[in-house]
Amino acid sequence: MYTVERLNQNDYEEVLQVLNASFDTVDPGADFEKKLPIMWTREHDYMKKHFGVREDGKIMALLGVYPLPVKIGDQELLFATVGNVATLPQARGKGYMKMLMEEALKEVDRLGIDCARLGGLRSRYNRFGFDHAGTRYDFTLTKRNAEENPPKQAFSFRLIDREDTEGIAFARSCQQKKGIHTLRKTHTDFYMSTRAWEHQPYLAMDEKGEPVGYLAASVNKREVAEQGVAEGVSTVDMLSAWLQETGENALTFHLAPYEAQAVHDAFNRCEKWSLEAPSMFWVIHWEKVVEALMNLNLQVRPLMEGAVRLGIEGFGTLEIAVKNQKATAKRTDEQPEITLPHRTATQMMFGPLNPGCMAQLPALLASWLPLPLSWNGQDRV
């Protein structure tokens, strides 16, 4: 006999055991307490964000729905991650995950989420409306690149620990300058997020010892999962200095399309780069997400003025307009100029492919796309 229920604070230890056992086949020795430290702080009672299937009183499968307030430009939205999707080996094939995903979608609706995201197999989650979308640039900076284009200023680095309130506060101020960022509510939230996936946060300082940026690096120091800098400081200079300090042969890092100057510098100075979708997304309140991203787009480049009506199956008609270099998006009862399936609209609006590969679009709409949706991998939970 099984039951589907919301979990609670008494389930912490069992949830950890289920996660570790479920992922052990693909990640031997999996330790989710280290991988996602924010979940185990108990500060926000993360267990109540989970649903589980019990057989004879024991958790056999679970997943979490984690609301994440997000700032896009000047607008605040509510995103959510559907994560920690786990089923014990002996309970697979019973349909438990389908039940839990259906419960997760109900929770997304109950919470008024604007956009949900998750990671995993596309073939598994397409049926629930999720698909790869958005744009992330992945760069590789080599030791030779750094030597040929050395930083224009001196940097030094020191580890940020949990009690370093001043260092965390400065790093948070840099993160909050980004065009899209999650609103990590407390110093603990920020610190624990930078520690996700066993990364470590470092403060970057100038020659006077003043903080000018931060980064979250992998244990081997060869990957930077997130970074931020003060006004007037070059992101690529800071990362180049980090590579020189570590003595490694190469460093990988990620940038979003709205980080225009950093993307320009990285493209000119790095050995190689690639483009990919940062996550799978399911857009619910199209009007809010599109309006915020259109206005973020306007911070990077001017857009042709005018209005377009786009029909999205399961949503209705969305009217998008640009007037006096300000964008608006709203539902309308008027006839759309083109109607697309939900997933096609997601791929077309946010990339990473050229939108013309998805559909034949009105010229004005095509000129605005793709919108600069991205996601920081440290904020999976």
Side-chain angles (χ1 to χ4, degrees), residues 145-336:
N145 297 151
E147 291 171 348
E148 291 178 346
N149 291 282
K152 296 180 178 63
Q153 70 175 91
F155 293 88
S156 60
F157 300 88
R158 68 169 175 80
L159 191 66
I160 301 174
D161 64 39
R162 189 172 180 171
E163 308 306 318
D164 184 2
T165 55
E166 289 187 5
I168 293 172
F170 179 82
R172 285 183 74 189
S173 73
C174 293
Q175 186 243 3
Q176 290 164 2
K177 290 183 174 70
K178 289 182 175 291
I180 299 177
H181 61 273
T182 56
L183 298 174
R184 300 169 181 169
K185 295 181 181 179
T186 68
H187 277 14
T188 298
D189 289 350
F190 181 88
Y191 177 76
M192 290 301 186
S193 295
T194 62
R195 292 298 311 275
W197 313 108
E198 301 185 66
H199 285 68
Q200 296 175 305
Y202 292 83
L203 200 65
M205 295 166 293
D206 64 15
E207 58 215 14
K208 297 178 182 177
E210 296 295 324
V212 291
Y214 83 100
L215 55 84
S218 58
V219 174
N220 63 16
K221 301 183 179 180
R222 296 172 194 154
E223 181 204 1
V224 168
E226 71 169 83
Q227 67 282 319
V229 293
E231 195 72 33
V233 177
S234 164
T235 296
V236 181
D237 273 356
M238 180 183 71
L239 296 174
S240 182
W242 170 257
L243 178 59
Q244 291 178 327
E245 175 155 313
T246 64
E248 296 293 335
N249 290 321
L251 174 71
T252 61
F253 61 95
H254 321 286
L255 293 171
Y258 51 82
E259 299 177 282
Q261 186 60 56
V263 171
H264 175 271
D265 293 346
F267 180 78
N268 284 323
R269 293 168 62 177
C270 288
E271 185 63 29
K272 59 183 180 179
W273 66 280
S274 61
L275 177 154
E276 65 175 77
S279 193
M280 282 190 280
F281 293 93
W282 173 40
V283 181
I284 300 128
H285 297 138
W286 283 84
E287 69 281 18
K288 295 173 69 174
V289 175
V290 169
E291 181 172 293
L293 289 169
M294 284 285 290
N295 282 299
L296 182 58
N297 221 1
L298 279 162
Q299 295 180 22
V300 178
R301 62 186 176 98
L303 301 179
M304 292 176 62
E305 301 210 339
V308 174
R309 293 186 303 277
L310 171 66
I312 303 167
E313 292 179 6
F315 172 82
T317 302
L318 179 69
E319 182 178 270
I320 313 167
V322 177
K323 184 177 181 180
N324 298 324
Q325 291 304 289
K326 179 174 176 57
T328 57
K330 62 181 182 181
R331 286 177 180 266
T332 179
D333 293 328
E334 295 187 40
Q335 283 294 109

